[in-house]
Amino acid sequence: MEKDIPHDPHTPLYTCPMHPEVEQMEEGSCPVCGMALELKEISVQSEESAEYHDMLRRFNLSLLLALPLFILAMTADMAPQWLPGALSMKSVQWLQFLLATPVVIYGGLPFFIRGYDSLRHRNLNMFTLISLGVLVAWGYSIAALFFAHLFPPQMRDTQGLVHLYFESAAIITTLVLLGQVLELRARSRTGEAIKSLLQLSPESAHLLHSNGSEESVPLEHIKPGNRLRIRPGEKIPVDGKVIEGESSVDESMITGEPMQVGKRRGDRLIGATINGTGSLLMEAQSVGNDTLLAQIVQMVASAQRSRAPIQKVADTVSSYFVPGVIFIAVITFFLWIAFGPEPRIAYAIINAVAVLIIACPCALGLATPISIMVATGRGATEGVLFKNAEALEIMERVDTLVIDKTGTLTEGHPKVVSLFADETSAEPELLAYAAALESQSEHPLGEAVVAEAKAQHLTLGSVSGFVSHTGEGISGSVDNVQVAVGNPQLMQRLGIDITPLLDAAEKRREAAQTIFFVAVGERAAGFIGVADPIKASAPEAIAQLHKQGIRIIMLTGDNRTTAEAIAKALRIDEVHAEVMPEQKASAVSKLQKEGHIVAMAGDGINDAPALARAHVGIAMGTGTDVAMQSAGITLVKGDIRGIVRARELSRATMRNIRQNLFFAFVYNSAGIPLAAGLLYPYFGVLLSPMIAAAAMSFSSVSVIGNALRLRNKNK
């Protein structure tokens, strides 16, 4: 069923972990690979699927019947010594038939249906091989039981009986069922990260009514604008802002950062985080699917269903593998018929069945998607959100990190730290003129100027003729006085001489201040120095990235002196300052043409083109929505140590996937010749179909178990 199928949003959709393009409205199996489908959207109430319980019932019954059957088959040569006098070997064979047939028909029915579907859809898969192997062993035994007289004399014993392989058919079915039960149970654990996120949300909230009364209401009844009371130790129900009170909040479950964050009036609150010892009154802003937690769950689920480029290798091999295995099984059959010892037909059938069973490519198909599912869930618990599997794969190969300054390396909350006015101007007047103009701008540095003016209780004049000069500054009329605020390029274009101010400005730039020149009328009246503090975590993150051999380049629209001061403090390899937004994307393209694998980290609208152009875009979760939509990775907290965690997780995941693929390839490469009887001429050793079935099931479970190790990767 196609992805764009219309459906009731309340009706669950089921999808295949190996083929996420397959979607159905009911449980079942994938028409491409035959694997059991699983819920597309995991909920807190999600338990093991009905498929798991069905397979468990079939396995339990099959095991109950297969064990006595196995004992009968293994002790058949001693039958005269322990069988009751009235029970002949012919009776034993009939008893084997009665024990094996329910196992094959009831226990193996799901495999036969999937095998038939694989032929009908022309997508040969592991169930094609399993159903063929079981049916051949069981069918041969039926023929030998009912029509023993038609078999060649050399295949019959002194009683005229032919050796049967009912136990092989039954044990193969039971072992494959065991593998399916273990696989389904393990696959359900890959969604535990999403379940743990979903369980974070409280079920209710304390709604504060306009008359001052409080009421506990279900979370789904909360609407934007509602006022909510958060008591000490309670979970914050939705996203919003503090309107009263002070407290510290544990945000580690969302951001991965262990330190509690102080909250006061106006600060942002994230739903599902835990309030500390203070009491807060908050205003709800984002509820339901709009909360950060809901968006994280949606992003993780989407990433888990995406396909990594390395998956193409397994897909290509699998597309040729099953037909190749059937061909090898046929060749094995005829070689044993032609050159094998007597009874040739029996040897030919058993070895062909062993080839079919041991070569099931389930482990090969599971190698990549299971690791991706576990890794993206693990990343979410560390505050690192992967948009898709491709970003997770490429991050390992990144050798160059291009990084923005403001809001990425720095806090993104600049403050006015210096004022300089010439001898004809006063600093408060200079600040008032600049703040009046900046009040019309949305630039974060301009907001710092306005905040400082408010802090000094200055009165701002009325503005007219406001003009924004992209990358240079702003100009306009303040109380009928022409004012311009910006960089040297703007001043030069407007014909304003700033030469007398340059020495004083340069000293402040060397201290990592960004300088705004202020022109009043036709003269340069002074400048304002704004500093954006370096994030406390930035030095550690840069040092760790350098240890991993990554070259770090800073691209910023800020002036060169300020940029170089930041770069020197952080030991950044290369700096490009005074860069326009479109030049950032061009710089990324240039690096890519030089053969570098480039990651770009930023948080603003002006970073979006470069984020989209890079091999991997990394957005700060504290930045703009446009930046996050353009990026392949989002760091929820905006802490660039998350880049280190993302790369370490990428390396661990790709190592895990390569281990899985290596195991699957080696297992099949070694298993098929053994099953075909390669060692028989030299050592007289044959691989029993039952051992082949156990090995096949073990390979799939081993791949899943190896992938689940990613959940315990060291932070």
Side-chain angles (χ1 to χ4, degrees):
M1 193 166 288
E2 299 298 326
K3 263 193 171 182
D4 58 355
I5 178 173
H7 73 286
D8 183 340
H10 299 293
T11 301
L13 275 178
Y14 295 86
T15 187
C16 174
M18 286 171 55
H19 300 90
E21 69 276 8
V22 174
E23 291 184 356
Q24 294 180 184
M25 291 185 184
E26 64 281 330
E27 285 193 89
S29 57
C30 174
V32 179
C33 64
M35 286 181 61
L37 300 180
E38 55 191 34
L39 274 172
K40 181 177 179 180
E41 295 184 5
I42 297 173
S43 66
V44 177
Q45 293 78 25
S46 297
E47 300 176 354
E48 286 93 349
S49 64
E51 181 83 17
Y52 167 80
H53 292 291
D54 179 61
M55 288 292 182
L56 185 60
R57 283 192 299 270
R58 294 177 190 273
F59 168 72
N60 288 335
L61 177 62
S62 298
L63 182 64
L64 186 66
L65 297 175
L67 283 178
L69 173 61
F70 181 74
I71 294 171
L72 272 178
M74 292 301 100
T75 58
D77 293 338
M78 299 182 294
Q81 285 75 38
W82 64 269
L83 287 176
L87 195 61
S88 65
M89 279 300 301
K90 184 69 173 178
S91 301
V92 171
Q93 288 192 335
W94 276 101
L95 184 57
Q96 289 180 347
F97 165 73
L98 293 175
L99 289 170
T101 299
V103 174
V104 171
I105 293 178
Y106 175 71
L109 183 61
F111 310 145
F112 301 143
I113 293 174
R114 295 175 188 181
Y116 170 74
D117 287 341
S118 72
L119 297 173
R120 187 164 58 92
H121 294 294
R122 298 180 182 177
N123 286 309
L124 304 184
N125 54 50
M126 63 171 285
F127 295 103
T128 316
L129 304 180
I130 291 172
S131 54
L132 276 175
V134 171
L135 285 174
V136 167
W138 185 69
Y140 167 82
S141 301
I142 290 287
L145 176 63
F146 286 93
F147 307 105
H149 61 283
L150 298 179
F151 281 69
Q154 60 267 31
M155 293 186 66
R156 301 197 296 266
D157 60 16
T158 55
Q159 301 179 47
L161 303 177
V162 178
H163 185 76
L164 308 181
Y165 294 97
F166 282 125
E167 82 284 355
S168 293
I171 296 296
I172 288 170
T173 302
T174 304
L175 289 172
V176 175
L177 282 169
L178 174 62
Q180 289 290 294
V181 168
L182 295 176
E183 178 188 316
L184 288 166
R185 189 170 183 178
R187 275 168 54 187
S188 70
R189 295 170 63 190
T190 63
E192 286 183 1
I194 292 183
K195 282 187 182 180
S196 65
L197 288 171
L198 290 170
Q199 289 169 347
L200 293 175
S201 291
E203 296 181 356
S204 61
H206 305 296
L207 177 63
L208 189 65
H209 295 291
S210 56
N211 61 6
S213 63
E214 289 186 20
E215 179 187 5
S216 181
V217 299
L219 205 60
E220 56 268 24
H221 293 172
I222 301 301
K223 298 178 181 178
N226 285 164
R227 294 187 302 160
L228 308 174
R229 176 73 66 189
I230 315 298
R231 296 177 179 138
E234 289 186 337
K235 289 183 178 180
I236 294 167
V238 295
D239 295 357
K241 67 178 181 179
V242 178
I243 56 178
E244 185 181 302
E246 291 187 14
S247 185
S248 58
V249 176
D250 180 0
E251 297 182 341
S252 60
M253 63 288 299
I254 299 293
T255 65
E257 298 300 322
M259 296 296 293
Q260 292 197 350
V261 182
K263 299 291 181 181
R264 60 182 62 184
R265 182 182 176 88
D267 286 345
R268 178 191 182 206
L269 292 173
I270 303 174
T273 56
I274 301 174
N275 185 27
T277 56
S279 178
L280 296 173
L281 186 64
M282 71 173 290
E283 178 185 326
Q285 293 178 321
S286 299
V287 302
N289 292 331
D290 295 328
T291 63
L292 177 61
L293 177 63
Q295 292 175 30
I296 289 174
V297 170
Q298 183 178 3
M299 185 177 288
V300 173
S302 177
Q304 289 186 339
R305 293 192 300 270
S306 63
R307 294 165 68 82
I310 197 172
Q311 177 68 29
K312 295 178 182 177
V313 176
D315 290 345
T316 301
V317 172
S318 295
S319 65
Y320 295 101
F321 193 77
V322 175
V325 168
I326 294 174
F327 177 75
I328 293 172
V330 172
I331 293 297
T332 298
F333 177 83
F334 284 110
L335 285 175
W336 278 92
I337 287 289
F339 303 107
E342 295 293 348
R344 294 179 179 180
I345 294 179
Y347 277 118
I349 288 175
I350 290 307
N351 285 288
V353 168
V355 169
L356 290 172
I357 297 300
I358 202 169
C360 290
C362 185
L364 189 62
L366 284 170
T368 297
I370 292 295
S371 295
I372 294 294
M373 291 176 73
V374 176
T376 50
R378 176 57 191 264
T381 64
E382 296 187 17
V384 179
L385 304 181
F386 291 92
K387 188 176 184 179
N388 50 48
E390 184 176 6
L392 179 60
E393 177 176 337
I394 295 176
M395 191 63 193
E396 175 205 34
R397 298 187 284 115
V398 167
D399 58 33
T400 303
L401 173 64
V402 176
I403 195 163
D404 177 48
K405 180 179 75 69
T406 306
T408 306
L409 290 172
T410 62
E411 294 288 351
H413 302 295
K415 298 177 180 179
V416 173
V417 293
S418 65
L419 284 169
F420 183 90
D422 65 8
E423 64 278 2
T424 63
S425 305
E427 290 182 357
E429 180 188 24
L430 183 80
L431 180 61
Y433 275 130
L437 265 190
E438 292 289 4
S439 66
Q440 307 297 308
S441 169
E442 295 181 354
H443 197 284
L445 297 181
E447 292 176 1
V449 175
V450 175
E452 180 64 20
K454 289 181 178 179
Q456 295 188 21
H457 306 290
L458 301 179
T459 302
L460 306 185
S462 59
V463 178
S464 61
F466 176 84
V467 178
S468 176
H469 306 273
T470 304
E472 295 180 343
I474 55 178
S475 64
S477 178
V478 179
D479 289 339
N480 297 319
V481 177
Q482 192 64 30
V483 178
V485 180
N487 59 21
Q489 289 84 352
L490 177 62
M491 297 297 128
Q492 182 180 3
R493 193 160 60 80
L494 296 177
I496 306 294
D497 182 17
I498 59 172
T499 304
L501 305 174
L502 290 179
D503 288 343
E506 191 63 22
K507 290 179 181 178
R508 287 162 176 79
R509 282 179 181 147
E510 290 173 356
Q513 294 181 25
T514 298
I515 301 302
F516 292 112
F517 291 96
V518 182
V520 179
E522 299 295 327
R523 65 182 176 83
F527 61 78
I528 300 172
V530 177
D532 187 5
I534 295 174
K535 290 182 177 179
S537 60
E540 178 190 348
I542 297 298
Q544 289 179 342
L545 290 167
H546 275 145
K547 284 183 180 179
Q548 295 181 7
I550 295 181
R551 174 189 177 201
I552 302 174
I553 300 172
M554 184 169 76
L555 292 183
T556 177
D558 209 341
N559 70 80
R560 179 164 299 280
T561 304
T562 304
E564 288 181 347
I566 297 286
K568 184 178 180 180
L570 293 175
R571 299 184 179 180
I572 289 174
D573 301 308
E574 191 176 322
V575 181
H576 297 276
E578 300 171 3
V579 177
M580 304 296 285
E582 62 273 13
Q583 293 175 316
K584 290 187 177 183
S586 299
V588 170
S589 292
K590 182 181 177 182
L591 289 166
Q592 290 173 326
K593 289 176 182 177
E594 293 172 356
H596 296 288
I597 305 299
V598 183
M600 167 70 193
D603 76 329
I605 293 175
N606 61 332
D607 297 320
L611 290 170
R613 182 69 59 85
H615 291 103
V616 182
I618 304 171
M620 304 296 112
T622 51
T624 64
D625 290 341
V626 174
M628 288 186 278
Q629 290 168 5
S630 303
I633 299 174
T634 297
L635 307 181
V636 177
K637 184 66 175 178
D639 184 344
I640 64 171
R641 285 178 298 186
I643 300 176
V644 179
R645 289 198 292 269
R647 195 159 192 272
E648 289 176 346
L649 184 58
S650 173
R651 294 168 75 175
T653 303
M654 297 312 299
R655 183 167 59 247
N656 190 274
I657 288 173
R658 292 187 187 103
Q659 289 168 352
N660 287 345
L661 289 173
F662 175 80
F663 178 79
F665 278 126
V666 169
Y667 160 79
N668 283 300
S669 299
I672 292 175
L674 292 177
L678 183 65
L679 298 181
Y680 186 78
Y682 309 102
F683 305 103
V685 175
L686 288 176
L687 188 66
S688 164
M690 291 181 287
I691 296 176
M696 185 272 293
S697 296
F698 171 76
S699 69
S700 299
V701 175
S702 297
V703 163
I704 296 174
N706 189 44
L708 288 173
R709 290 192 306 113
L710 288 170
R711 297 186 309 163
N712 303 316
K713 185 190 78 65
N714 292 331
K715 291 186 178 179

